[in-house]
Structures are given as C-alpha cells and as structure tokens.
Amino acid sequence: MRRKLLFGERMLLGDGTEPFNAVIPFRLRGTFKEEDIQYALSRLQDKHPWLRALIHHDENNIPWFEVLENHLPIPIRIVPRKGEDDWQEESRKEWQTLFRYGEQPLLRFIWIKGEEVSDMLFSFHHCLCDGGSAVAFLYEFLTILDHPSAEIGVENPILGIHDVVPEAILTSRSQKLKAKVIGRVAATAIKCIPVGKKAVERQNDYLIHWKFDKEISKELISYCKSQEVTVNTFLSVVLLQAFKKVRGASAFNKVSCPVDIRRFAPQIKKDHIFAFGLMIVVSSDDKMSFSDNLWMTQESVERKTSKLNPYITMMVMESAHDALKNFTKLLKHGKSSNDCMFSNLGRIEIPHQYKEFTLETIFSPSVIGPLGNTTTMVTSTFNGEMDFSFVGSEGYLPYSEALAIRDEVIQTVKEQLDPISVL
C-alpha cells in the first residue's frame, strides 16, 4: 500500500534535515511490562496502515507513504522517572530528534518508567497526523493496554484527495478551473513576495505548562455559555490581550486558530491518520471592552468559519505542488505576522479509570517545527481540568515575555470569572 504525500504533508515533511515533531504526553498510575506496551503498539499498527509506513522518494523526488509487507515496530525508548516534570524534558528532546522516515515509522513511544506512576509520550512527525488523530490512537492504545483482546477495528485509510473531496466536486470542470486559477495566482504572488536570505535564528526552544483545576475550568465553561461565546473565542481574546499588554507595539494583534477539517469533511473519520488542517486568524479591537471584544470576535469567527471550504482548499493546494519550494521559503524566511498559533482540542473523551491502571492526566500536546514563528499554545480538557502547553523559541518570543504572557492569561481568566465565584 502506498500513496503520494499531499501538498500540506510535503510542506510539513520538508527535506528531512529539520524535525517537525509533535508530542502528546500522559500519566498512568499502575505497573506495566514492556512486552504489553509493545503489543498494544503493534495492535495500533495492525489497525492503521500509515503507522507502519516509511517515506520513500520516487525518481522525480516525490515522497510517498509506503507500507512494507514486513513492517518495523514502533520504537520504544525507556528512561527512569526521577520527577514530576521529566515529561517536559523528554518532550523537548523529542522536538529535536529527527525521524529517519526512510528507515523507521513516523511514530515513537517514550516510557518514563516509575514504580507506581509512569509518564508516557507519543512522539510523531507532524506530516503523519494532527492532534485529533493522536488523541484517537492514544484512546486505542490505552484500551488495548488494559484489555489486550479488545476490538478496535481496522482503518480504511485515506489514499489520496479522491477519498476526501466528493467526486462531483473533484471532476467538476468549473471547480477544477477555479482551483487551478487560484493556485496559479497564489504561486505567482508567493514568488513575488520579498524574503530575507536567512531564516530567523530560533535559538532555545521552551515549554511552559499549567493547568486550571476543576473548579476554575467549570467556571470558565459556564462563563462562556453565559456570554454565548465558545471557549476557543474566549481564550483567543484573552491571549490577544496578554500579548498586547506584555509586548506593546511589538504585538501583531493576530492569533492563528486551526479548525478541524472533520467538521466540514465527514469522509475524514475521527480515527483516520491524517494531517490536513484549515485555519482562521482572529484579532481584537483595543478600543472595545473585553466583553464587546468577545462578541465581536465570536461573530468574526463564525463568519470566517462559514466561508471555509476544505474541498476547494485541497484542490488548490494539490494544483500547486510546483510552488512548494517557494511557499516553504516564504514561511521560513518571511517576517512573522502573527503573535501565536492557538489550538483548542476541547474535551478529550477518554476514560479516567481502567481495570488495570488509572489515567491520571493527559498533558496538552506540543508541536514545533522550522516553518516560521514557533509560538504555539495548545489547550485541552481531561477529567474536568483544562491543561495548557505554551511552546516558543527565544528568537521569536523571549522566555521572560512568554512567562509574563502566561501570567497575564491566568490573571485575566480569573478576573473575568471573579463575579461568578463571588455569586
């Protein structure tokens, strides 16, 4: 089984010399055997073909996912658990560790082994899948680890754009023309945009982590419902305000928010291994109050989201493979124009208590790569607690400013929730 990488996957893959890795860490209370972990990982590979795949280039240097008959197991790296924050150090290590994608799967497993408590990490190349896919195979892994004979099904993998875009759209003469024209215009524009000769020096990468307890998390969700805005919108406005307060004139007043393509393309199932995403950008108005900004931003988000078209977007991108080099160069060498990428995975629907162990927490995934500004905040909610991973690089956002932004986010959230706690 094999398929060509799509445009977005090729962009994330790069030339193989720079990692673009994501990590999803979690904490288990219980005792485990390596052979049981390896078995659970092998069951994941049995279900998902692309977890068995390597990447090979053809004679035209086009990369392909290729599933070999005698596939290689997902590698396990075991380190002794010394403290509560070991998972952060191992996350940073995994960001920097290249995937030898022609020789090993695009997924690794790290076991920070303790006597009663273990932290575990899935590390994967971002061209393999997104955070939604990672949560899906995390759920399957835990299911098998607890109950080895459990049935998790078999994925019917996406083999190309034809498995996502309906045939009527994909073969439509007008839609094909539209995609080609937009693709050519975009490719020409990208070629004409001036970029620097050197990419920004990233310097040291860092991870800042925090949680809201169950009480604050519950109040935050209740507040958003009372204001008729989403948690995503609320946190975006909080983040924009924090960047403005800390960075002043250096803030861009722009936060990029990924939108799950599964909302618009039902062909892509929750458990599909897939990396393609959609994006909107949100901004706030300094002249408005916090509440007015919430409502204005919510309207803007709904308007922009309603205009998203995953099918034509994919068709445009697939028509522009020859512009990949220029597009990548623009992302790497162009000036940053947004403050941060903010991704909210929402409530993670994975059980907390299992027969053989307890899933104490899931830490929000982190991701970092070479395509421009690395500043990213990811949040998720598990077992009633909202968790935050804030990733960045000194060359884009100094660590001291990132800490100040974190403090502003926490303070602003608590200030907005205070009237509820008083009542």
Side-chain angles (χ1 to χ4, degrees):
M1 183 183 295
R2 64 199 297 258
R3 77 163 172 87
K4 288 182 180 179
L5 272 69
L6 300 171
F7 180 96
E9 294 166 339
R10 287 184 65 187
M11 181 181 69
L12 295 170
L13 178 69
D15 61 6
T17 63
E18 298 172 295
F20 201 144
N21 300 348
V23 179
I24 181 166
F26 53 101
R27 177 168 293 163
L28 299 182
R29 180 172 292 277
T31 56
F32 308 93
K33 297 178 181 178
E34 184 178 353
E35 55 263 37
D36 294 336
I37 292 173
Q38 190 70 72
Y39 175 75
L41 294 174
S42 71
R43 288 287 306 279
L44 291 187
Q45 288 184 297
D46 290 341
K47 173 174 179 175
H48 301 287
W50 306 132
L51 296 188
R52 312 194 293 268
L54 306 181
I55 294 178
H56 293 138
H57 289 75
D58 62 19
E59 62 277 7
N60 297 314
N61 204 34
I62 303 299
W64 291 69
F65 287 120
E66 187 168 358
V67 180
L68 304 180
E69 190 171 329
N70 297 316
H71 68 268
L72 297 168
I74 293 167
I76 299 175
R77 180 167 63 87
I78 303 174
V79 296
R81 189 174 191 268
K82 299 174 183 176
E84 294 282 298
D85 296 330
D86 291 355
W87 65 272
Q88 296 187 35
E89 180 183 346
E90 295 304 324
S91 293
R92 289 189 289 267
K93 283 183 184 177
E94 286 299 316
W95 296 344
Q96 306 298 335
T97 304
L98 280 169
F99 278 93
R100 300 194 305 275
Y101 53 70
E103 304 169 18
Q104 291 185 329
L106 294 161
L107 181 67
R108 294 189 289 256
F109 189 86
I110 299 85
W111 179 13
I112 307 173
K113 186 178 180 180
E115 290 187 12
E116 297 180 358
V117 176
S118 288
D119 293 331
M120 300 180 179
L121 296 78
F122 276 110
S123 174
F124 55 96
H125 199 297
H126 199 12
C127 77
L128 176 72
C129 65
D130 60 7
S133 298
V135 169
F137 63 66
L138 170 57
Y139 167 72
E140 294 162 356
F141 169 80
L142 294 170
T143 299
I144 297 298
L145 189 62
D146 186 56
H147 184 41
S149 61
E151 182 55 55
I152 58 173
V154 177
E155 179 190 358
N156 183 21
I158 292 170
L159 296 174
I161 189 173
H162 56 275
D163 285 337
V164 177
V165 180
E167 185 179 2
I169 297 175
L170 193 61
T171 58
S172 166
R173 191 174 291 180
S174 62
Q175 294 296 321
K176 287 165 68 176
L177 179 62
K178 179 181 179 182
K180 192 171 183 178
V181 169
I182 294 174
R184 289 304 90 202
V185 170
T188 303
I190 288 168
K191 193 180 293 187
C192 295
I193 297 174
V195 295
K197 291 183 179 180
K198 286 188 176 182
V200 172
E201 184 67 40
R202 254 166 66 175
Q203 303 175 44
N204 292 329
D205 301 323
Y206 53 80
L207 167 62
I208 301 171
H209 171 261
W210 72 94
K211 279 182 181 290
F212 288 147
D213 61 24
K214 289 184 179 181
E215 183 180 355
I216 292 178
S217 299
K218 186 177 180 180
E219 288 177 2
L220 192 158
I221 293 169
S222 296
Y223 174 84
C224 292
K225 287 181 178 177
S226 71
Q227 298 296 310
E228 298 183 337
V229 300
T230 65
V231 171
N232 197 75
T233 294
F234 172 75
L235 291 174
S236 294
V237 173
V238 169
L239 196 54
L240 285 163
Q241 181 172 296
F243 267 91
K244 181 65 177 178
K245 191 163 185 179
V246 172
R247 305 212 77 198
S250 297
F252 295 102
N253 191 29
K254 288 182 180 178
V255 168
S256 302
C257 297
V259 179
D260 190 352
I261 191 174
R262 295 165 184 81
R263 290 173 53 185
F264 304 91
Q267 300 88 337
I268 306 172
K269 308 304 180 186
K270 282 187 177 181
D271 61 351
H272 265 133
I273 301 298
F274 196 63
F276 188 88
L278 302 169
M279 194 81 65
I280 62 172
V281 176
V282 298
S283 300
S284 60
D285 189 334
D286 292 341
K287 298 176 183 178
M288 288 185 175
S289 67
F290 185 89
S291 295
D292 287 343
N293 258 312
L294 275 185
W295 300 324
M296 181 271 291
T297 304
Q298 185 63 48
E299 288 179 1
S300 173
V301 166
E302 290 173 1
R303 184 172 62 253
K304 290 177 179 179
T305 303
S306 69
K307 293 179 180 179
L308 291 175
N309 186 329
Y311 303 136
I312 196 66
T313 301
M314 286 190 74
M315 290 172 68
V316 167
M317 294 176 77
E318 289 310 294
S319 74
H321 275 264
D322 59 333
L324 180 64
K325 188 175 180 179
N326 287 330
F327 187 55
T328 301
K329 185 178 179 181
L330 175 64
L331 292 176
K332 282 186 175 183
H333 295 220
K335 290 184 178 180
S336 180
S337 61
N338 73 321
D339 295 298
C340 181
M341 181 175 290
F342 169 56
S343 177
N344 178 15
L345 294 181
R347 185 177 298 152
I348 297 179
E349 302 287 357
I350 292 181
H352 163 63
Q353 189 64 54
Y354 290 80
K355 184 177 66 175
E356 300 294 335
F357 54 81
T358 300
L359 175 58
E360 290 206 338
T361 192
I362 299 173
F363 301 104
S364 292
S366 60
V367 60
I368 199 162
L371 301 180
N373 191 348
T374 59
T375 314
T376 303
M377 190 171 89
V378 181
T379 185
S380 59
T381 302
F382 173 73
N383 198 27
E385 293 184 331
M386 199 168 287
D387 185 274
F388 296 81
S389 289
F390 190 20
V391 170
S393 306
E394 287 276 1
Y396 287 102
L397 179 68
Y399 181 66
S400 59
E401 292 187 10
L403 287 174
I405 288 167
R406 175 205 60 187
D407 294 344
E408 280 296 326
V409 167
I410 294 171
Q411 182 179 337
T412 303
V413 167
K414 290 182 177 179
E415 285 174 354
Q416 295 304 313
L417 300 187
D418 187 61
I420 292 181
S421 61
V422 170
L423 294 173

